């Protein structure tokens, strides 16, 4: 990713912080390379178990040119898909956790490796998010594929 692309992604991410300038300053100097950012303003995050998340991301990548940002964490055991704000309030899905208004998530600095959390799909800085209906479709297809493999 080019410096300007990373810069744009950083601008977009820190825009949700209570003090974006202070957040950026701290984030750029934080040896862990992570920031704690509030969900529910510009995006919510749907958190899937990795065994469902990876095939879901593969299917999404075939359906659309570019999904919204996606995080992987905890040894790839969980994945976070950035979706429009308010999605978590309406989401009814077994085994899927959500981070919406009133919650905070650990976010690595774009383009840097950070302890425990990494970007699988970097934010584009333009605010591209994953459509929840497409995410649900991809999750159903991934779950069906996993079930078929288990039967075989």
């Amino acid at each position: 990713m080019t410096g300007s692309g990373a810069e744009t992604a950083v601008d977009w991410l820190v825009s949700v912080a209570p003090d974006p300038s202070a957040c950026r300053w701290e984030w750029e100097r934080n040896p862990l390379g992570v920031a704690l950012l509030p969900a529910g303003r510009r995006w919510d995050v749907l958190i899937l178990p990795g065994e469902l998340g990876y095939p879901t991301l593969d299917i999404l990548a075939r359906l659309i040119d570019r999904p919204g940002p996606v995080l992987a964490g905890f040894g790839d055991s969980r994945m976070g898909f950035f979706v429009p704000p308010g999605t978590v309030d309406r989401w009814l899905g077994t085994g899927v956790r959500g981070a919406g208004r009133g919650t905070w998530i650990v976010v690595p600095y774009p383009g840097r490796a950070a302890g425990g959390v990494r970007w699988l799909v970097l934010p584009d800085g333009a605010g591209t998010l994953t459509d929840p209906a497409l995410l649900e479709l991809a999750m159903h297809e991934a779950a069906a594929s996993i079930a078929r493999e288990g039967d075989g």
Side-chain angles (χ1 to χ4, degrees):
M1 171 175 253
T2 63
S4 62
E7 196 68 20
T8 304
V10 170
D11 290 341
W12 181 73
L13 288 164
V14 300
S15 71
V16 301
D19 183 343
S21 301
C23 178
R24 174 191 290 278
W25 190 89
E26 177 63 31
W27 203 7
E28 289 171 349
R29 288 154 186 79
N30 184 328
L32 298 176
V34 296
L36 196 57
L37 295 176
R41 293 184 182 169
R42 286 189 180 242
W43 34 259
D44 283 358
V45 181
L46 290 176
I47 303 163
L48 281 61
E51 58 271 9
L52 177 60
Y54 279 97
T56 297
L57 181 57
D58 289 344
I59 292 163
L60 262 180
R62 291 194 306 263
L63 294 173
I64 54 177
D65 287 337
R66 188 185 200 296
V70 181
L71 288 172
F74 307 102
D76 290 346
S77 67
R78 292 194 185 92
M79 292 173 62
F81 290 80
F82 282 53
V83 293
T87 299
V88 167
D89 295 336
R90 298 182 303 274
W91 191 266
L92 302 172
T94 305
V96 176
R97 294 188 352 213
R101 186 165 294 283
T103 61
W104 296 70
I105 64 165
V106 173
V107 179
Y109 194 90
R112 289 190 202 156
V117 183
R118 64 189 172 94
W119 290 106
L120 297 176
V121 178
L122 282 164
D124 63 6
T128 300
L129 299 168
T130 297
D131 179 300
L134 276 179
L135 179 60
E136 185 176 16
L137 175 71
M139 286 172 56
H140 284 291
E141 190 173 322
S145 176
I146 292 167
R148 281 192 303 272
E149 290 171 11
D151 290 341

